[in-house]
Protein backbone atom coordinates (compact mmCIF):
# COMPACT_ATOMS: atom_id res chain seq x y z
CA UNK A 1 0.00 0.00 0.00
CA UNK A 2 1.24 3.49 -0.70
CA UNK A 3 0.19 6.71 0.90
CA UNK A 4 1.20 10.20 -0.16
CA UNK A 5 4.39 11.50 1.44
CA UNK A 6 3.75 12.72 4.95
CA UNK A 7 0.20 11.27 4.96
CA UNK A 8 0.37 10.70 8.69
CA UNK A 9 1.67 14.13 9.62
CA UNK A 10 -0.57 16.42 11.71
CA UNK A 11 0.84 19.83 10.99
CA UNK A 12 -2.12 22.17 10.73
CA UNK A 13 -3.93 24.35 13.19
CA UNK A 14 -7.69 24.53 13.31
CA UNK A 15 -8.43 20.84 12.80
CA UNK A 16 -9.85 20.23 16.27
CA UNK A 17 -9.37 17.21 18.49
CA UNK A 18 -7.42 14.34 16.91
CA UNK A 19 -10.17 11.98 15.74
CA UNK A 20 -8.20 9.01 17.11
CA UNK A 21 -7.50 10.58 20.50
CA UNK A 22 -7.20 7.82 23.08
CA UNK A 23 -7.73 5.03 20.57
CA UNK A 24 -4.05 4.14 20.30
CA UNK A 25 -1.77 3.16 23.17
CA UNK A 26 1.89 2.56 23.84
CA UNK A 27 2.31 -0.73 25.63
CA UNK A 28 6.02 -1.40 25.58
CA UNK A 29 9.44 0.14 25.36
CA UNK A 30 12.96 -1.17 25.08
CA UNK A 31 16.39 0.37 25.06
CA UNK A 32 19.70 -1.16 24.12
CA UNK A 33 22.87 -0.48 26.06
CA UNK A 34 24.22 2.96 25.21
CA UNK A 35 27.77 3.04 23.91
CA UNK A 36 29.77 6.11 23.00
CA UNK A 37 30.62 4.65 19.58
CA UNK A 38 30.46 1.42 17.70
CA UNK A 39 34.01 0.07 17.66
CA UNK A 40 33.76 -1.33 14.15
CA UNK A 41 34.28 -4.94 15.18
CA UNK A 42 31.87 -6.04 17.93
CA UNK A 43 29.01 -7.78 16.16
CA UNK A 44 26.92 -7.85 19.33
CA UNK A 45 27.03 -4.06 19.52
CA UNK A 46 26.06 -3.10 16.00
CA UNK A 47 22.88 -1.11 15.47
CA UNK A 48 21.38 -4.28 14.00
CA UNK A 49 22.14 -6.32 17.10
CA UNK A 50 20.94 -3.51 19.33
CA UNK A 51 17.75 -3.13 17.29
CA UNK A 52 16.89 -6.74 17.98
CA UNK A 53 17.80 -6.30 21.66
CA UNK A 54 15.61 -3.20 22.06
CA UNK A 55 12.75 -4.71 20.04
CA UNK A 56 12.74 -7.87 22.17
CA UNK A 57 12.79 -5.79 25.34
CA UNK A 58 9.83 -3.72 24.14
CA UNK A 59 7.90 -6.84 23.17
CA UNK A 60 8.63 -8.49 26.51
CA UNK A 61 7.50 -5.32 28.25
CA UNK A 62 4.18 -5.51 26.41
CA UNK A 63 3.90 -9.28 26.86
CA UNK A 64 4.06 -9.90 23.11
CA UNK A 65 6.01 -12.09 20.73
CA UNK A 66 7.61 -11.00 17.47
CA UNK A 67 4.85 -12.93 15.68
CA UNK A 68 2.31 -10.47 17.12
CA UNK A 69 3.91 -7.53 15.30
CA UNK A 70 2.26 -6.60 12.01
CA UNK A 71 3.73 -3.12 11.58
CA UNK A 72 7.44 -2.26 11.63
CA UNK A 73 8.57 1.35 11.55
CA UNK A 74 12.34 1.67 11.30
CA UNK A 75 14.21 4.90 10.63
CA UNK A 76 17.23 4.17 8.46
CA UNK A 77 18.30 7.81 8.48
CA UNK A 78 21.87 7.33 9.65
CA UNK A 79 23.41 9.86 11.96
CA UNK A 80 26.81 8.56 10.91
CA UNK A 81 28.56 9.56 7.70
CA UNK A 82 30.21 12.51 6.07
CA UNK A 83 27.41 15.01 6.26
CA UNK A 84 25.68 13.45 9.21
CA UNK A 85 27.73 12.04 11.99
CA UNK A 86 31.31 11.11 12.44
CA UNK A 87 33.58 12.05 9.60
CA UNK A 88 36.09 9.25 9.84
CA UNK A 89 36.62 7.40 6.60
CA UNK A 90 34.95 4.12 7.40
CA UNK A 91 33.07 3.30 4.23
CA UNK A 92 33.50 1.49 2.00
CA UNK A 93 34.89 -0.85 4.57
CA UNK A 94 35.75 -4.52 4.49
CA UNK A 95 32.42 -6.05 5.43
CA UNK A 96 31.65 -9.07 7.52
CA UNK A 97 29.70 -12.30 7.21
CA UNK A 98 25.96 -11.90 6.58
CA UNK A 99 23.88 -10.32 7.96
CA UNK A 100 26.62 -7.73 8.45
CA UNK A 101 27.71 -7.63 4.84
CA UNK A 102 26.69 -4.02 4.20
CA UNK A 103 26.07 -0.82 6.19
CA UNK A 104 22.51 -2.06 6.72
CA UNK A 105 22.67 -3.72 10.10
CA UNK A 106 25.88 -1.98 11.11
CA UNK A 107 25.28 1.76 10.97
CA UNK A 108 21.70 1.84 9.77
CA UNK A 109 18.81 -0.56 10.19
CA UNK A 110 16.13 -0.72 7.54
CA UNK A 111 12.79 -2.38 8.06
CA UNK A 112 13.79 -4.95 5.45
CA UNK A 113 16.94 -5.87 7.36
CA UNK A 114 15.18 -6.26 10.67
CA UNK A 115 12.35 -8.28 9.13
CA UNK A 116 14.88 -10.64 7.60
CA UNK A 117 17.09 -10.99 10.64
CA UNK A 118 14.89 -10.82 13.72
CA UNK A 119 13.39 -14.25 14.37
CA UNK A 120 9.61 -14.28 14.45
CA UNK A 121 8.91 -11.08 12.54
CA UNK A 122 6.90 -13.15 10.11
CA UNK A 123 3.53 -11.43 10.13
CA UNK A 124 4.36 -7.93 8.93
CA UNK A 125 1.81 -6.31 6.71
CA UNK A 126 3.09 -2.77 7.13
CA UNK A 127 6.82 -2.02 6.83
CA UNK A 128 7.20 1.42 5.27
CA UNK A 129 10.35 3.02 3.94
CA UNK A 130 11.21 6.72 4.12
CA UNK A 131 10.40 6.94 7.80
CA UNK A 132 11.32 10.19 9.56
CA UNK A 133 13.36 10.50 12.76
CA UNK A 134 11.93 9.52 16.11
CA UNK A 135 9.93 12.67 16.78
CA UNK A 136 7.69 12.18 13.82
CA UNK A 137 8.21 8.42 13.73
CA UNK A 138 6.19 8.14 16.95
CA UNK A 139 3.37 10.14 15.39
CA UNK A 140 3.52 8.02 12.27
CA UNK A 141 3.18 4.86 14.36
CA UNK A 142 0.19 6.27 16.22
CA UNK A 143 -1.48 7.28 12.98
CA UNK A 144 -0.75 3.96 11.28
CA UNK A 145 -2.37 2.02 14.12
CA UNK A 146 -5.25 4.49 14.31
CA UNK A 147 -5.99 4.10 10.62
CA UNK A 148 -5.77 0.32 10.74
CA UNK A 149 -2.63 -0.10 8.64
CA UNK A 150 -1.46 -2.39 11.42
CA UNK A 151 -2.62 -3.46 14.87
CA UNK A 152 0.70 -3.83 16.63
CA UNK A 153 3.41 -1.46 15.47
CA UNK A 154 7.04 -1.86 16.49
CA UNK A 155 8.97 1.41 16.28
CA UNK A 156 12.76 1.11 16.15
CA UNK A 157 14.97 4.16 16.36
CA UNK A 158 18.67 3.78 15.68
CA UNK A 159 21.17 6.40 16.85
CA UNK A 160 24.58 5.64 15.39
CA UNK A 161 28.00 6.93 16.27
CA UNK A 162 31.38 5.80 15.03
CA UNK A 163 34.93 6.96 15.33
CA UNK A 164 35.70 10.49 14.20
CA UNK A 165 34.12 13.84 14.88
CA UNK A 166 30.61 14.90 14.06
CA UNK A 167 29.92 16.67 10.78
CA UNK A 168 33.47 17.48 9.90
CA UNK A 169 33.42 15.50 6.69
CA UNK A 170 31.85 16.12 3.32
CA UNK A 171 31.66 19.70 2.17
CA UNK A 172 32.69 20.94 5.61
CA UNK A 173 36.13 19.47 4.98
CA UNK A 174 36.46 20.93 1.49
CA UNK A 175 37.42 24.24 -0.07
CA UNK A 176 34.09 25.21 -1.61
CA UNK A 177 30.50 25.38 -0.41
CA UNK A 178 27.28 25.45 -2.39
CA UNK A 179 23.53 25.58 -1.95
CA UNK A 180 22.41 27.13 1.30
CA UNK A 181 25.91 26.76 2.72
CA UNK A 182 27.09 29.61 0.48
CA UNK A 183 25.24 31.93 2.87
CA UNK A 184 26.37 30.27 6.08
CA UNK A 185 29.44 28.04 5.94
CA UNK A 186 31.52 30.77 4.28
CA UNK A 187 31.54 32.40 7.71
CA UNK A 188 31.78 29.19 9.72
CA UNK A 189 28.08 28.71 10.47
CA UNK A 190 27.63 25.00 9.98
CA UNK A 191 24.38 23.87 11.50
CA UNK A 192 21.72 23.96 14.13
CA UNK A 193 24.06 24.40 17.09
CA UNK A 194 25.21 27.71 15.68
CA UNK A 195 21.78 29.07 14.83
CA UNK A 196 20.55 27.95 18.23
CA UNK A 197 23.37 29.81 19.92
CA UNK A 198 22.41 32.99 18.07
CA UNK A 199 18.77 32.61 19.02
CA UNK A 200 19.68 32.11 22.67
CA UNK A 201 21.90 35.19 22.59
CA UNK A 202 18.90 37.14 21.36
CA UNK A 203 16.84 35.58 24.12
CA UNK A 204 19.31 36.79 26.73
CA UNK A 205 19.26 40.32 25.25
CA UNK A 206 15.49 40.45 25.05
CA UNK A 207 14.76 39.10 28.52
CA UNK A 208 17.72 40.71 30.25
CA UNK A 209 19.50 37.59 31.41
CA UNK A 210 22.66 35.58 30.77
CA UNK A 211 23.39 32.25 29.17
CA UNK A 212 24.74 30.54 32.27
CA UNK A 213 22.03 31.93 34.54
CA UNK A 214 19.29 30.40 32.42
CA UNK A 215 20.92 27.18 31.30
CA UNK A 216 23.32 25.98 34.01
CA UNK A 217 20.60 24.83 36.43
CA UNK A 218 18.51 23.06 33.82
CA UNK A 219 21.48 21.25 32.28
CA UNK A 220 22.63 20.09 35.71
CA UNK A 221 19.12 18.90 36.54
CA UNK A 222 18.98 16.89 33.33
CA UNK A 223 22.22 15.13 34.20
CA UNK A 224 20.87 14.29 37.65
CA UNK A 225 17.71 12.85 36.10
CA UNK A 226 19.65 10.97 33.45
CA UNK A 227 21.62 9.11 36.10
CA UNK A 228 18.35 7.68 37.35
CA UNK A 229 17.92 5.52 34.24
CA UNK A 230 19.82 2.28 34.53
CA UNK A 231 20.54 2.28 30.79
CA UNK A 232 21.74 5.85 30.19
CA UNK A 233 25.19 6.57 28.81
CA UNK A 234 26.20 8.43 31.93
CA UNK A 235 24.86 5.77 34.29
CA UNK A 236 26.80 3.12 32.41
CA UNK A 237 30.01 4.95 31.66
CA UNK A 238 30.39 8.21 33.62
CA UNK A 239 28.19 7.96 36.71
CA UNK A 240 29.07 11.30 38.24
CA UNK A 241 26.64 14.11 38.99
CA UNK A 242 27.36 17.30 37.09
CA UNK A 243 27.44 20.48 39.20
CA UNK A 244 26.81 24.11 38.38
CA UNK A 245 30.54 24.64 38.85
CA UNK A 246 31.35 21.86 36.37
CA UNK A 247 28.99 23.43 33.89
CA UNK A 248 30.49 26.87 34.29
CA UNK A 249 34.00 25.50 34.02
CA UNK A 250 33.29 23.58 30.84
CA UNK A 251 34.84 24.66 27.58
CA UNK A 252 33.04 26.67 24.97
CA UNK A 253 32.04 25.09 21.67
CA UNK A 254 30.48 28.23 20.23
CA UNK A 255 30.80 30.82 22.99
CA UNK A 256 28.60 31.36 24.92
CA UNK A 257 27.43 27.79 24.19
CA UNK A 258 29.32 25.31 26.34
CA UNK A 259 30.22 21.68 25.96
CA UNK A 260 27.41 20.60 28.29
CA UNK A 261 24.81 22.47 26.26
CA UNK A 262 25.40 19.83 23.57
CA UNK A 263 24.15 16.26 23.78
CA UNK A 264 26.69 13.47 23.62
CA UNK A 265 26.58 11.39 20.42
CA UNK A 266 26.11 7.71 21.24
CA UNK A 267 25.50 4.36 19.57
CA UNK A 268 22.22 2.89 20.76
CA UNK A 269 18.74 1.78 19.74
CA UNK A 270 15.32 2.33 21.30
CA UNK A 271 12.06 0.53 20.52
CA UNK A 272 8.38 1.13 21.26
CA UNK A 273 5.14 -0.81 20.82
CA UNK A 274 2.00 0.97 19.65
CA UNK A 275 -1.34 -0.80 19.46
CA UNK A 276 -5.05 -0.13 19.56
CA UNK A 277 -6.56 0.88 22.88
CA UNK A 278 -8.74 -2.19 22.57
CA UNK A 279 -5.86 -4.65 22.30
CA UNK A 280 -3.84 -2.72 24.85
CA UNK A 281 -6.36 -3.68 27.56
CA UNK A 282 -5.16 -7.28 27.46
CA UNK A 283 -1.45 -6.56 27.45
CA UNK A 284 0.96 -6.77 30.34
CA UNK A 285 1.30 -3.09 31.26
CA UNK A 286 -1.12 -0.35 32.05
CA UNK A 287 -1.74 1.33 28.65
CA UNK A 288 -0.40 4.77 27.97
CA UNK A 289 -2.82 6.34 25.50
CA UNK A 290 -1.92 8.70 22.70
CA UNK A 291 -3.97 11.88 22.90
CA UNK A 292 -2.38 13.58 19.92
CA UNK A 293 0.71 13.86 17.80
CA UNK A 294 1.98 16.76 15.77
CA UNK A 295 4.68 17.16 13.15
CA UNK A 296 6.16 19.43 10.57
CA UNK A 297 6.85 22.88 11.90
CA UNK A 298 9.57 25.41 11.46
CA UNK A 299 9.33 27.20 8.19
CA UNK A 300 11.39 28.89 5.56
CA UNK A 301 13.75 31.29 7.22
CA UNK A 302 13.07 34.93 6.68
CA UNK A 303 16.80 35.47 6.15
CA UNK A 304 20.23 33.90 6.65
CA UNK A 305 19.94 33.34 10.39
CA UNK A 306 16.80 32.31 12.26
CA UNK A 307 15.73 34.85 14.85
CA UNK A 308 14.26 34.51 18.31
CA UNK A 309 10.98 35.87 16.97
CA UNK A 310 10.87 33.12 14.36
CA UNK A 311 11.83 30.38 16.77
CA UNK A 312 9.28 31.48 19.36
CA UNK A 313 6.57 31.69 16.73
CA UNK A 314 7.31 28.18 15.48
CA UNK A 315 7.25 26.62 18.91
CA UNK A 316 4.21 28.67 19.95
CA UNK A 317 2.44 27.24 16.93
CA UNK A 318 3.55 23.70 17.75
CA UNK A 319 2.09 24.16 21.23
CA UNK A 320 -1.20 25.52 19.92
CA UNK A 321 -1.56 22.60 17.48
CA UNK A 322 -0.72 20.08 20.15
CA UNK A 323 -3.04 21.46 22.78
CA UNK A 324 -5.84 21.80 20.27
CA UNK A 325 -5.61 18.21 19.04
CA UNK A 326 -5.09 16.67 22.46
CA UNK A 327 -7.79 18.65 24.22
CA UNK A 328 -5.30 19.53 26.93
CA UNK A 329 -4.57 22.92 28.39
CA UNK A 330 -1.14 23.86 29.69
CA UNK A 331 -2.36 23.35 33.26
CA UNK A 332 -3.35 19.75 32.40
CA UNK A 333 0.19 18.70 31.54
CA UNK A 334 1.94 16.81 34.32
CA UNK A 335 5.08 15.44 32.69
CA UNK A 336 7.04 17.62 30.31
CA UNK A 337 9.89 16.11 28.34
CA UNK A 338 10.65 18.54 25.51
CA UNK A 339 13.71 18.20 23.29
CA UNK A 340 17.01 19.40 24.66
CA UNK A 341 19.62 18.31 22.11
CA UNK A 342 20.88 21.81 22.44
CA UNK A 343 19.99 23.25 25.82
CA UNK A 344 18.61 26.58 24.48
CA UNK A 345 15.57 24.72 23.19
CA UNK A 346 14.53 24.29 26.81
CA UNK A 347 13.64 27.87 27.74
CA UNK A 348 11.84 28.30 24.42
CA UNK A 349 9.73 25.17 24.78
CA UNK A 350 8.98 25.82 28.45
CA UNK A 351 7.57 29.22 27.63
CA UNK A 352 5.79 28.30 24.40
CA UNK A 353 4.04 25.36 26.04
CA UNK A 354 3.43 27.48 29.16
CA UNK A 355 4.19 24.47 31.27
CA UNK A 356 3.31 25.09 34.92
CA UNK A 357 2.24 28.58 33.91
CA UNK A 358 5.57 29.75 32.53
CA UNK A 359 5.37 32.86 30.36
CA UNK A 360 7.85 34.46 27.97
CA UNK A 361 11.04 35.35 29.77
CA UNK A 362 10.24 33.21 32.82
CA UNK A 363 12.70 30.40 32.15
CA UNK A 364 15.56 31.76 34.24
CA UNK A 365 13.45 32.01 37.38
CA UNK A 366 11.75 28.72 36.59
CA UNK A 367 14.98 26.78 36.11
CA UNK A 368 16.49 28.33 39.22
CA UNK A 369 13.50 27.13 41.24
CA UNK A 370 12.85 23.53 42.30
CA UNK A 371 12.80 21.54 39.05
CA UNK A 372 13.97 18.29 40.62
CA UNK A 373 11.90 15.18 39.94
CA UNK A 374 10.62 15.10 43.50
CA UNK A 375 9.72 18.77 43.63
CA UNK A 376 6.68 20.69 42.40
CA UNK A 377 8.01 21.37 38.89
CA UNK A 378 9.70 18.16 37.70
CA UNK A 379 10.98 19.52 34.40
CA UNK A 380 12.47 17.01 31.92
CA UNK A 381 12.07 14.18 34.39
CA UNK A 382 13.55 11.86 31.78
CA UNK A 383 16.86 13.68 31.69
CA UNK A 384 16.60 14.16 27.94
CA UNK A 385 19.46 13.78 25.56
CA UNK A 386 21.68 15.93 27.73
CA UNK A 387 21.22 13.60 30.69
CA UNK A 388 21.36 10.23 28.94
CA UNK A 389 23.20 10.79 25.65
CA UNK A 390 21.86 11.30 22.14
CA UNK A 391 19.55 8.28 22.07
CA UNK A 392 16.57 10.59 21.47
CA UNK A 393 14.49 8.13 23.47
CA UNK A 394 14.61 9.29 27.10
CA UNK A 395 11.80 11.77 26.60
CA UNK A 396 9.43 9.02 25.49
CA UNK A 397 10.60 6.33 27.88
CA UNK A 398 10.18 8.69 30.81
CA UNK A 399 6.72 9.77 29.71
CA UNK A 400 5.64 6.12 29.55
CA UNK A 401 7.24 5.18 32.85
CA UNK A 402 5.91 8.18 34.74
CA UNK A 403 2.37 7.53 33.51
CA UNK A 404 2.64 3.87 34.45
CA UNK A 405 3.94 4.88 37.87
CA UNK A 406 7.03 2.80 37.14
CA UNK A 407 9.73 5.45 36.90
CA UNK A 408 11.40 4.19 40.07
CA UNK A 409 13.82 6.68 41.52
CA UNK A 410 12.67 9.21 38.93
CA UNK A 411 8.97 8.88 39.73
CA UNK A 412 7.57 12.33 40.24
CA UNK A 413 5.64 13.13 43.41
CA UNK A 414 3.23 15.40 41.58
CA UNK A 415 0.26 14.12 39.56
CA UNK A 416 1.38 11.99 36.61
CA UNK A 417 -1.57 11.44 34.30
CA UNK A 418 -0.51 13.30 31.17
CA UNK A 419 2.78 13.80 29.38
CA UNK A 420 4.27 15.70 26.49
CA UNK A 421 7.32 14.11 24.87
CA UNK A 422 9.36 15.33 21.94
CA UNK A 423 12.26 15.06 19.63
CA UNK A 424 11.77 18.50 18.15
CA UNK A 425 14.98 20.24 17.14
CA UNK A 426 14.82 23.87 16.07
CA UNK A 427 11.31 24.85 15.14
CA UNK A 428 10.11 21.27 14.69
CA UNK A 429 6.58 20.54 15.87
CA UNK A 430 7.16 16.85 16.55
CA UNK A 431 5.45 16.39 19.89
CA UNK A 432 3.55 13.44 21.33
CA UNK A 433 0.76 13.77 23.89
CA UNK A 434 0.11 10.91 26.29
CA UNK A 435 -2.29 10.06 29.09
CA UNK A 436 -2.92 7.08 31.33
CA UNK A 437 -6.61 7.95 31.65
CA UNK A 438 -9.06 8.54 28.84
CA UNK A 439 -12.22 8.32 30.88
CA UNK A 440 -12.37 12.06 31.36
CA UNK B 1 41.34 34.55 7.18
CA UNK B 2 40.70 31.60 4.83
CA UNK B 3 37.03 30.97 4.25
CA UNK B 4 35.25 28.32 2.21
CA UNK B 5 34.70 29.59 -1.33
CA UNK B 6 31.04 30.00 -2.29
CA UNK B 7 29.95 28.27 -5.49
CA UNK B 8 27.39 30.55 -7.15
CA UNK B 9 24.28 29.03 -8.64
CA UNK B 10 21.86 30.49 -11.15
CA UNK B 11 19.94 32.35 -8.48
CA UNK B 12 22.90 33.63 -6.49
CA UNK B 13 25.30 34.50 -9.31
CA UNK B 14 24.31 38.19 -9.49
CA UNK B 15 24.98 38.53 -5.75
CA UNK B 16 28.46 37.07 -5.99
CA UNK B 17 29.25 38.94 -9.21
CA UNK B 18 28.28 42.19 -7.49
CA UNK B 19 30.47 41.29 -4.51
CA UNK B 20 33.38 40.98 -6.93
CA UNK B 21 32.61 44.53 -8.04
CA UNK B 22 32.46 45.76 -4.46
CA UNK B 23 28.70 46.16 -4.36
CA UNK B 24 26.20 44.64 -1.91
CA UNK B 25 23.00 43.75 -3.71
CA UNK B 26 19.88 42.21 -2.20
CA UNK B 27 16.90 40.53 -3.80
CA UNK B 28 14.01 43.02 -3.99
CA UNK B 29 10.36 42.34 -4.77
CA UNK B 30 9.00 44.97 -7.11
CA UNK B 31 5.43 44.07 -6.26
CA UNK B 32 5.50 44.45 -2.49
CA UNK B 33 8.75 46.36 -2.05
CA UNK B 34 10.30 43.71 0.20
CA UNK B 35 13.97 42.88 0.51
CA UNK B 36 14.89 39.23 0.93
CA UNK B 37 18.17 37.49 1.54
CA UNK B 38 19.24 34.86 0.63
CA UNK B 39 17.60 35.14 -2.78
CA UNK B 40 14.64 32.91 -3.61
CA UNK B 41 12.79 32.14 -6.83
CA UNK B 42 9.73 33.89 -5.39
CA UNK B 43 9.10 36.68 -2.96
CA UNK B 44 9.03 35.40 0.59
CA UNK B 45 6.13 37.70 1.44
CA UNK B 46 3.81 37.87 -1.58
CA UNK B 47 4.95 35.00 -3.81
CA UNK B 48 5.73 37.25 -6.74
CA UNK B 49 8.40 36.34 -9.26
CA UNK B 50 8.80 40.01 -10.12
CA UNK B 51 12.18 40.27 -8.41
CA UNK B 52 15.25 42.39 -9.05
CA UNK B 53 18.64 42.96 -7.48
CA UNK B 54 18.91 46.21 -5.55
CA UNK B 55 22.09 47.76 -4.30
CA UNK B 56 21.89 48.64 -0.61
CA UNK B 57 23.90 51.06 1.52
CA UNK B 58 26.08 48.44 3.14
CA UNK B 59 25.28 49.84 6.56
CA UNK B 60 24.04 47.65 9.37
CA UNK B 61 24.50 46.70 12.97
CA UNK B 62 25.57 43.67 14.94
CA UNK B 63 22.61 41.72 16.24
CA UNK B 64 24.48 38.94 18.03
CA UNK B 65 28.01 37.62 17.98
CA UNK B 66 29.10 34.17 19.05
CA UNK B 67 32.57 32.70 18.88
CA UNK B 68 33.48 29.58 16.96
CA UNK B 69 35.76 27.85 19.45
CA UNK B 70 35.37 24.33 18.07
CA UNK B 71 33.77 24.50 14.65
CA UNK B 72 33.09 22.19 11.74
CA UNK B 73 34.58 24.02 8.77
CA UNK B 74 38.01 22.59 8.06
CA UNK B 75 39.37 25.64 6.25
CA UNK B 76 38.66 27.82 9.26
CA UNK B 77 40.09 25.59 11.98
CA UNK B 78 43.49 27.37 12.02
CA UNK B 79 41.74 30.64 12.88
CA UNK B 80 39.76 29.36 15.84
CA UNK B 81 38.50 30.96 17.96
CA UNK B 82 36.85 33.51 15.66
CA UNK B 83 33.73 35.67 15.68
CA UNK B 84 30.50 34.66 14.04
CA UNK B 85 28.16 37.61 14.07
CA UNK B 86 24.71 38.19 12.66
CA UNK B 87 24.47 41.56 10.94
CA UNK B 88 21.10 43.18 10.31
CA UNK B 89 20.79 45.67 7.48
CA UNK B 90 19.78 49.27 8.07
CA UNK B 91 17.38 49.09 5.12
CA UNK B 92 15.38 46.24 6.68
CA UNK B 93 16.19 44.61 10.02
CA UNK B 94 14.53 41.42 8.79
CA UNK B 95 17.46 40.94 6.41
CA UNK B 96 20.47 39.42 8.12
CA UNK B 97 23.86 38.13 7.02
CA UNK B 98 26.73 36.43 8.76
CA UNK B 99 30.12 38.02 9.38
CA UNK B 100 33.37 37.21 11.13
CA UNK B 101 33.87 40.93 11.93
CA UNK B 102 37.57 40.78 11.06
CA UNK B 103 39.86 42.72 13.35
CA UNK B 104 37.59 42.62 16.37
CA UNK B 105 38.95 40.33 19.10
CA UNK B 106 36.66 37.48 20.11
CA UNK B 107 34.07 38.19 22.78
CA UNK B 108 34.53 41.91 22.25
CA UNK B 109 32.12 42.56 19.40
CA UNK B 110 29.64 45.07 20.78
CA UNK B 111 26.04 43.95 20.19
CA UNK B 112 24.11 46.71 18.51
CA UNK B 113 27.23 48.43 17.15
CA UNK B 114 27.12 50.02 13.70
CA UNK B 115 29.02 48.24 10.95
CA UNK B 116 29.67 48.71 7.26
CA UNK B 117 30.31 46.25 4.52
CA UNK B 118 33.59 45.65 2.72
CA UNK B 119 34.65 42.83 0.46
CA UNK B 120 37.17 40.15 1.30
CA UNK B 121 38.91 37.99 -1.26
CA UNK B 122 38.42 34.29 -0.57
CA UNK B 123 39.89 33.10 -3.86
CA UNK B 124 41.56 34.82 -6.81
CA UNK B 125 38.15 35.00 -8.47
CA UNK B 126 35.75 35.52 -5.59
CA UNK B 127 35.14 38.21 -3.00
CA UNK B 128 32.58 37.91 -0.22
CA UNK B 129 30.88 40.56 1.92
CA UNK B 130 32.45 41.20 5.31
CA UNK B 131 31.66 43.79 7.93
CA UNK B 132 33.71 46.16 10.09
CA UNK B 133 32.90 48.49 12.94
CA UNK B 134 32.17 52.07 11.91
CA UNK B 135 34.22 54.81 13.52
ZN1 LIG C 1 6.67 40.53 -2.73
Amino acid sequence: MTQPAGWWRRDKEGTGIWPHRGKVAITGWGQSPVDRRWDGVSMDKTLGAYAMYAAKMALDDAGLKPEDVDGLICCPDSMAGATGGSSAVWAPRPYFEAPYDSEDGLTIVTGGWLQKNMPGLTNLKYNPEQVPAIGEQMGMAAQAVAEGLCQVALVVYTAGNLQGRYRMGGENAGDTVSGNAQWTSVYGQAGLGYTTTGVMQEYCQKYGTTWDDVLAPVVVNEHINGLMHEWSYYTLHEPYALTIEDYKASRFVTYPMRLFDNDRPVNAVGAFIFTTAERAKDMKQKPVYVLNHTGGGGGPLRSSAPTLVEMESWVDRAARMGYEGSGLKPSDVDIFNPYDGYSPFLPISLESFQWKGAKKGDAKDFFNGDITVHGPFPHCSGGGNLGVGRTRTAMYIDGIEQLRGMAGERQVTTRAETAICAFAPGGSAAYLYLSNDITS
Amino acid sequence: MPKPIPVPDELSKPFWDAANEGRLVIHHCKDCDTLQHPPRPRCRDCGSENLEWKEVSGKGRISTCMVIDDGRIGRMHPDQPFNLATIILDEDPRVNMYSNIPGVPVRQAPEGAAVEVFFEEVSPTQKVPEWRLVG
Side-chain angles (χ1 to χ4, degrees), chain A residues 7-8 38 64 74 89 148 166 199 225 236 245 276 280 294-295 299 311 328-329 340 352 354 363 382 406-407:
Chain A
W7 62 273
W8 47 270
W38 182 52
L64 295 173
C74 288
V89 179
Y166 248 61
V199 165
N225 294 348
L236 294 173
E245 293 69 35
T276 61
T294 56
M311 183 74 83
L328 299 178
K329 311 182 291 297
D340 63 340
S352 287
Q354 300 175 54
M406 294 172 66

Side-chain angles (χ1 to χ4, degrees), chain A residues 182 187 301-305, chain B residues 5 7 16 37 40 45 96 129:
Chain A
Q182 69 189 301
Y187 303 93
L301 291 184
R302 172 75 228 178
S303 195
S304 311
Chain B
I5 303 155
V7 179
W16 296 115
H37 180 80
R40 291 192 179 85
D45 284 350
N96 63 44

Side-chain angles (χ1 to χ4, degrees), chain A residues 37 47 76-93 103 106-108 159-173 265 267 390, chain B residues 72:
Chain A
R37 304 166 195 276
L47 289 188
D77 176 20
S78 178
M79 279 195 272
T83 55
S86 341
S87 67
V89 179
W90 45 262
R93 66 173 95 229
E103 289 306 314
L106 293 177
T107 57
I108 61 167
N161 192 35
L162 295 100
Q163 62 172 314
R165 298 206 59 195
Y166 248 61
R167 296 200 167 103
M168 287 195 186
E171 201 174 58
N172 288 349
N267 201 69
R390 191 183 290 169
Chain B
R72 290 173 174 165

Side-chain angles (χ1 to χ4, degrees), chain A residues 158-314:
Chain A
T158 42
N161 192 35
L162 295 100
Q163 62 172 314
R165 298 206 59 195
Y166 248 61
R167 296 200 167 103
M168 287 195 186
E171 201 174 58
N172 288 349
D175 289 332
T176 60
V177 289
S178 54
N180 190 58
Q182 69 189 301
W183 312 111
T184 56
S185 301
V186 167
Y187 303 93
Q189 194 279 77
L192 191 58
Y194 304 77
T195 56
T196 304
T197 300
V199 165
M200 187 65 197
Q201 288 182 293
E202 271 196 81
Y203 178 98
C204 293
Q205 288 176 20
K206 179 171 179 180
Y207 299 116
T209 185
T210 70
W211 187 285
D212 286 0
D213 283 349
V214 180
L215 297 173
V218 71
V219 171
V220 166
N221 189 59
E222 296 233 31
H223 275 254
I224 291 167
N225 294 348
L227 287 172
M228 292 188 262
H229 290 279
E230 46 187 61
W231 53 267
S232 97
Y233 173 80
Y234 293 98
T235 305
L236 294 173
H237 303 285
E238 298 179 19
Y240 325 109
L242 188 73
T243 65
I244 296 279
E245 293 69 35
D246 295 334
Y247 175 89
K248 290 184 175 174
S250 70
R251 71 179 175 88
F252 294 109
V253 177
T254 51
Y255 169 89
M257 181 181 269
R258 297 179 178 280
L259 181 68
F260 291 117
D261 296 309
N262 295 255
D263 56 342
R264 198 91 172 263
V266 295
N267 201 69
V269 181
F272 301 88
I273 304 291
F274 285 70
T275 190
T276 61
E278 202 51 38
R279 285 200 59 178
K281 282 186 203 157
D282 303 323
M283 290 187 191
K284 205 160 110 188
Q285 308 289 354
K286 182 175 171 182
V288 171
Y289 300 99
V290 181
L291 298 184
N292 190 21
H293 65 90
T294 56
L301 291 184
R302 172 75 228 178
S303 195
S304 311
T307 63
L308 176 64
V309 167
E310 285 176 312
M311 183 74 83
E312 287 184 334
S313 73
W314 294 332

